[in-house]
Amino acid sequence: MASYLEQNQQRFLTELIDWLRIPSVSADPKFHGDVLRAAEYLKARFEEVGLENVELCPTAGNPIVYGEKIIDPALPTVLVYGHYDVQPADPYELWDSPPFEPVIKDEKIYARGACDDKGQVYMHVKALEVMNQEGGLPCNIKVMIEGEEEIGSNNLGIFVRANKEKLKADVILISDTGMLANDEPSIEVGLRGLSYHEVEVTGPNRDLHSGLYGGAVANPINVLCKMIASLHDENNHITIPEFYNNVAVLTDEERAELNRVPHSDDEFKKSIGLPDTYGEKGYTTVERIGIRPTLDVNGIWGGYTGEGAKTVIASKAYAKISMRLVPHQTSDEITALFQQHFESIAPSGVTVVVKPHHGGEPVVTPTDSVAYKAAADAMETTFGKRPIPTRGGGSIPIVAMFKSELGLDTVLLGFGLDSDAIHSPNEHYGVFNFLKGIETIPHFYRNYAAAVQG
């Protein structure tokens, strides 16, 4: 007889696709109504799967969708976190199908938010439904899904600090990460932090004719490009003074263990269409992504970018610059260092303003905890293979915040793949991964409840 999941997998996919149609882009105010619709959709699904005390918790920004099922206060409690907001879909013209008209092709769901994070959030909703139909919940569950992760989670910390009793639990469970491959399960045990800025370089008080003024005034775009180029040396080492002061240095043995992760530079290059890898000298690709800090320009603009020619020296030039941080760097420390350094290297012909946006702290989670073992055992059950602990290059700033405010460790039980194109055109999420997540999550709850109860 087919399992409940097998009997209902098409309906689960249809429901997810309905949710993906809602363009819940938190970064763009024009989508605010859609963000609220996405929250309402999730609230209704919470109620359908039997969560209680379901509510849209207001914040100064987008609401947090909350629900819980307390079957016995004596049992352990798992708090599930995720987010329903998504990245902007721009540039739309690079999508093979419209980003908010989901399609399934080649066994993948193509849509903005398919993997990050709606598809992974919805695994948890449907896992609850499966457990209700196949013996009930083995422990207490609380679910908190926010709508501002893609813009820095500015209001989540405020909500958590004001609701510590409501959120009281034994462990956090998050599916907003990935694994090595469908035949190589893994669990991320480390994440990098983040320091994000916007910089503005101003030259003349208006756009100038490049013939009448060119060569006699500082061109803000030229200046900005030179300033950015100076932030790395010939070995791709970041040149900001004191930037590396607190970077955790791994032993040779720790580095060797990290590099045991199955990885092929040739496959890595092929997957993103590059002729070679690139990065800080002296480190492998795995190390550059997992244990080394970075500095990247995420956007740059200024002057005339329309069709044809317009010979101007722009009054202003802008860039968005982010740094990924590693233990034991802090976002406050790096934000201050970057701001001081970037302003100090500006030539006298321009003025520079650095506007910090948001940040987050790096984190390493324990691999010897009851919760990690419960997750590893769950993956081994459904994949038939023991998962490998890995360090991810991305940032989930709230993991460190949960530890400091709630005293809770987090298990990062993600099912995405690096090839899922999150934050890019043609984002997608494998049907296999979606269904495998729904299959695996109930095993985590059962394993964790059994281990805690002894």
Side-chain angles (χ1 to χ4, degrees):
M1 179 180 175
S3 69
Y4 184 81
L5 172 57
E6 291 169 326
Q7 293 172 17
N8 291 275
Q9 64 182 35
Q10 189 55 54
R11 174 171 62 84
F12 292 176
L13 284 165
T14 299
E15 292 173 5
L16 172 59
I17 285 171
D18 287 343
W19 197 29
L20 291 169
R21 286 196 180 99
I22 304 173
S24 50
V25 179
S26 54
D28 190 335
K30 75 181 181 184
F31 291 103
H32 181 63
D34 297 304
V35 172
L36 299 182
R37 282 203 301 129
E40 290 283 2
Y41 184 94
L42 186 59
K43 176 177 180 287
R45 304 293 82 73
F46 275 16
E47 293 167 341
E48 287 176 359
V49 299
L51 288 175
E52 299 170 347
N53 300 317
V54 177
E55 57 182 323
L56 294 184
C57 303
T59 73
N62 300 327
I64 291 168
V65 190
Y66 178 84
E68 62 185 24
K69 186 68 174 180
I70 309 299
I71 59 174
D72 184 346
L75 291 175
T77 300
V78 177
L79 174 60
V80 178
Y81 164 85
H83 64 94
Y84 63 86
D85 64 319
V86 303
Q87 281 276 315
D90 313 69
Y92 283 71
E93 65 273 13
L94 296 184
W95 286 77
D96 294 334
S97 55
F100 299 109
E101 295 178 20
V103 297
I104 297 179
K105 60 181 179 181
D106 301 324
E107 292 300 305
K108 300 178 181 68
I109 310 159
Y110 283 82
R112 173 56 86 229
C115 177
D116 181 24
D117 185 35
K118 284 179 172 177
Q120 300 213 64
V121 165
Y122 211 64
M123 295 183 316
H124 286 274
V125 178
K126 296 295 99 175
L128 291 173
E129 181 176 331
V130 169
M131 285 187 289
N132 284 334
Q133 295 295 323
E134 296 182 345
L137 306 185
C139 60
N140 305 313
I141 297 175
K142 298 177 179 180
V143 187
M144 174 179 62
I145 310 299
E146 70 154 320
E148 297 182 325
E149 194 273 347
E150 300 292 7
I151 53 173
S153 300
N154 289 336
N155 292 296
L156 183 66
I158 298 170
F159 177 81
V160 168
R161 286 187 284 273
N163 291 276
K164 289 187 177 181
E165 188 61 33
K166 177 197 285 281
L167 302 175
K168 190 174 181 180
D170 297 286
V171 71
I172 310 280
L173 181 62
I174 297 177
S175 295
D176 193 14
T177 53
M179 56 184 188
L180 292 169
N182 286 350
D183 59 355
E184 196 67 75
S186 61
I187 299 176
E188 289 192 1
V189 298
L191 294 166
R192 291 191 287 193
L194 182 68
S195 175
Y196 195 103
H197 306 258
E198 182 174 317
V199 300
E200 175 186 294
V201 177
T202 302
N205 59 10
R206 66 185 188 277
D207 288 358
L208 302 177
H209 188 291
S210 64
L212 298 179
Y213 292 91
V217 299
N219 182 322
I221 299 176
N222 294 354
V223 168
L224 176 58
C225 291
K226 288 180 180 179
M227 293 173 68
I228 289 172
S230 76
L231 297 175
H232 292 90
D233 66 16
E234 67 277 8
N235 295 317
N236 291 314
H237 199 79
I238 296 165
T239 58
I240 299 171
E242 302 180 29
F243 183 86
Y244 291 96
N245 278 10
N246 295 320
V247 169
V249 178
L250 273 64
T251 65
D252 291 343
E253 292 77 13
E254 289 172 323
R255 290 179 67 179
E257 182 66 22
L258 183 69
N259 282 289
R260 288 181 58 203
V261 171
H263 172 82
S264 164
D265 267 0
D266 287 339
E267 291 180 7
F268 177 81
K269 291 181 291 186
K270 183 180 179 181
S271 70
I272 49 179
L274 290 178
D276 203 357
T277 60
Y278 185 87
E280 188 180 3
K281 186 177 181 180
Y283 295 91
T284 66
T285 300
V286 170
E287 291 172 334
R288 290 167 179 168
I289 293 172
I291 64 169
R292 297 300 293 170
T294 64
L295 184 152
D296 284 294
V297 178
N298 304 119
I300 185 168
W301 68 101
Y304 180 69
T305 58
E307 294 293 330
K310 184 180 181 183
T311 51
V312 295
I313 295 172
S315 171
K316 293 179 179 289
Y318 305 85
K320 293 183 185 291
I321 299 173
S322 67
M323 286 149 285
R324 299 286 177 170
L325 316 179
V326 298
H328 301 283
Q329 293 177 304
T330 68
S331 59
D332 285 347
E333 163 211 1
I334 297 302
T335 293
L337 288 176
F338 175 81
Q339 187 165 9
Q340 178 182 1
H341 177 69
F342 203 77
E343 291 174 349
S344 74
I345 62 175
S348 59
V350 299
T351 57
V352 171
V353 175
V354 177
K355 304 174 184 176
H357 275 315
H358 59 271
E361 309 314 312
V363 66
V364 176
T365 61
T367 57
D368 58 356
S369 67
V370 169
Y372 177 85
K373 186 176 185 301
D377 289 346
M379 275 194 139
E380 186 171 13
T381 297
T382 58
F383 285 86
K385 200 172 189 179
R386 194 74 179 169
I388 298 170
T390 61
R391 292 204 185 190
S395 305
I396 308 180
I398 48 81
V399 173
M401 185 270 288
F402 285 148
K403 182 66 174 178
S404 63
E405 295 295 339
L406 300 177
L408 300 178
D409 287 321
T410 295
V411 174
L412 298 165
L413 189 60
F415 295 85
L417 300 175
D418 285 349
S419 57
D420 287 340
I422 64 171
H423 292 208
S424 301
N426 300 311
E427 177 182 351
H428 54 274
Y429 190 40
V431 172
F432 169 89
N433 306 72
F434 175 66
L435 298 175
K436 187 61 74 172
I438 299 171
E439 180 187 357
T440 304
I441 290 165
H443 288 287
F444 166 79
Y445 287 120
R446 296 183 191 112
N447 295 343
Y448 181 67
V452 171
Q453 291 175 281

